[in-house]
Amino acid sequence: MSALQLTDRDQRSAQISNYAAPVLRSEVLAAQSAAVQSISGATLTSEGYLTSLQAALDTAHFTAGQSYSPSGAG
């Protein structure tokens, strides 16, 4: 599994990613879930980020309220 990488294909995409990523990260950590709202003005970035995150959580069999365990025993 590889870490999420937001696009930096062009300057505008990089600006959006640089703005949205920390906000999304903060919201996701606070919610302990990928079920957070998209960032206004960064809808596609938000949707891609949250979809990718949910897929990673599903692969790890993680549910909200569960502690992270690298061995998957969480």
Side-chain angles (χ1 to χ4, degrees):
M1 188 178 324
S2 61
L4 174 71
Q5 288 189 313
L6 296 172
T7 186
D8 60 358
R9 190 174 359 171
D10 59 57
Q11 185 176 1
R12 181 67 180 139
S13 293
Q15 287 175 329
I16 292 169
S17 293
N18 289 335
Y19 164 73
V23 175
L24 288 166
R25 186 176 307 115
S26 176
E27 293 292 319
V28 163
L29 289 173
Q32 289 293 295
S33 169
V36 299
Q37 294 204 1
S38 295
I39 305 299
S40 180
T43 304
L44 294 177
T45 299
S46 298
E47 289 174 0
Y49 183 99
L50 297 171
T51 299
S52 179
L53 174 61
Q54 187 60 58
L57 293 173
D58 291 346
T59 298
H61 305 290
F62 181 86
T63 57
Q66 201 175 27
S67 298
Y68 173 74
S69 173
S71 67

